[in-house]
Amino acid sequence: MAPQPFLSNSAADIELIAQRLQQGGIFALPTETVYGLAADALNPLALEKIFKAKGRPHFDPLIIHISEIEQAENLALTNNTFYTLVQAFWPGPLTLILPKKPCVPDLATANRPTVALRMPAHTTFRRVLEACGRPLAAPSANTFGYVSPTTAQHAFNCLGDSIDGILDAGPCVHGIESTILDISDPSTPKLYRPGPISLQDLERALNTPILNQTTTPKPKEAAPQGLRAPGLLSKHYSPKTPIQLVELGRLKNVPTAPGTAHLYFQAPTELQHAPHVYSLSESGDLREAARLLYDQLRALDLQDYKQIIAEKAPGKELGLAINNRLKRAAKR
Ligand code: TXA
Ligand code: MG
């Protein structure tokens, strides 16, 4: 009999998953941002399985998840900026890039001198980390380039048979991936990926300006090896249906072209129940919009639309992270 793909957060299932991870298995696990595909971060054979299952190119390094600060100190050269940010935001949706120590496999960092670390807040993920007693590398549990999974079913739809199992603990609360900040040179912190922790949150905590490097790199940087955050290719997080992105307020009507869906940030009340009209949040709430963004894109992808015209979110705080994902999803 084939193994049952879905596991629960019962003590028995957590123990089973932890043991199989210690033996080199790979499992989709919930975090507060998106579901991750986890493997023992110090076992190159297990890491190789992640790249294979996702179809992920080897130039794209992984985030290593930990449950204790001591683990970060074992894996990376920490600095004062790190401790300030940890105090303010860990555990939580913030990934920090630091110079790596030699024990980190080159496969995890794509041969870079730095390593990405995150201490997730999700209770279930933390229980697995503690039961396992070692750091876990975990990229989002989707096939490379596709929309990240925010439910166990999404992870199953993408990776189903090619992994050892999926722990279902319900939908993720944030719905978009962690903020990524490079503090390997603490004199100039650099934001690579906007996320649930905003640039303003980080600047307030550090009391210093942060270099925003979240836009699409210039052509001369375009070779993957030259990218600042190599996974942040201009096309990413993309459904199969083409998306056309328009400014906030530019979607005014119900769709007139056949096969077109309109995805509003918040559709006007009179259009909310019109056919082929969708909202990221009917109440105009940025948190809800972020939480439902990927679920909405996946749901639209399952219908027969030829195109989706999507409206940007208001361009502040979490809206910047939503628009960053929409922009990449729209890139052809
Ligand atoms: O919320 C999240 O961060 C989720 C959950 C599962 O924790 N994980 C996630 O992983 O989004 P992934 O692999 O889909 O995205 C990781 C990003 C990639 O764009 C990668 O290029 C970047 O982090 N990254 C990892 N290590 C890096 C490094 N040393 N330098 C620059 N970028 C790095
Ligand atoms: Mg990803």
Side-chain angles (χ1 to χ4, degrees), residues 29 31 33-37 54 56 59-63 65 93 95 97-98 108-109 112 114-116 118 125 138-142 148 176-180 182 192-193 228-232 236-237:
L29 303 178
T31 84
T33 56
V34 299
Y35 272 70
L37 178 58
K54 279 184 60 93
R56 184 182 180 104
F59 63 71
D60 193 1
L62 306 172
I63 297 174
H65 298 65
T95 295
I97 295 181
L98 287 166
T109 62
R112 292 179 162 240
T114 53
V115 61
R118 175 161 111 79
F125 199 105
S140 50
N142 51 283
S148 295
I176 52 172
E177 305 82 356
S178 63
T179 305
I180 302 182
D182 184 346
Y192 289 160
R193 182 169 72 183
R228 293 178 292 245
L232 300 185
H236 211 74
Y237 314 115

Side-chain angles (χ1 to χ4, degrees), residues 109-129:
T109 62
N111 291 310
R112 292 179 162 240
T114 53
V115 61
L117 297 177
R118 175 161 111 79
M119 185 186 282
H122 199 290
T123 328
T124 304
F125 199 105
R126 291 177 66 83
R127 284 170 66 203
V128 176
L129 277 168

Side-chain angles (χ1 to χ4, degrees), residues 244-251 263-266 280 286 309-315 319 322-324 326-327:
Q244 189 194 330
L245 190 60
V246 299
E247 294 302 319
L248 182 63
R250 288 286 301 282
L251 266 183
L263 179 56
Y264 281 84
F265 172 67
Q266 178 190 19
L280 285 181
L286 282 170
I309 307 184
E311 175 190 58
K312 284 187 186 169
I322 296 172
N323 290 340
N324 169 277
L326 279 172
K327 214 163 126 190

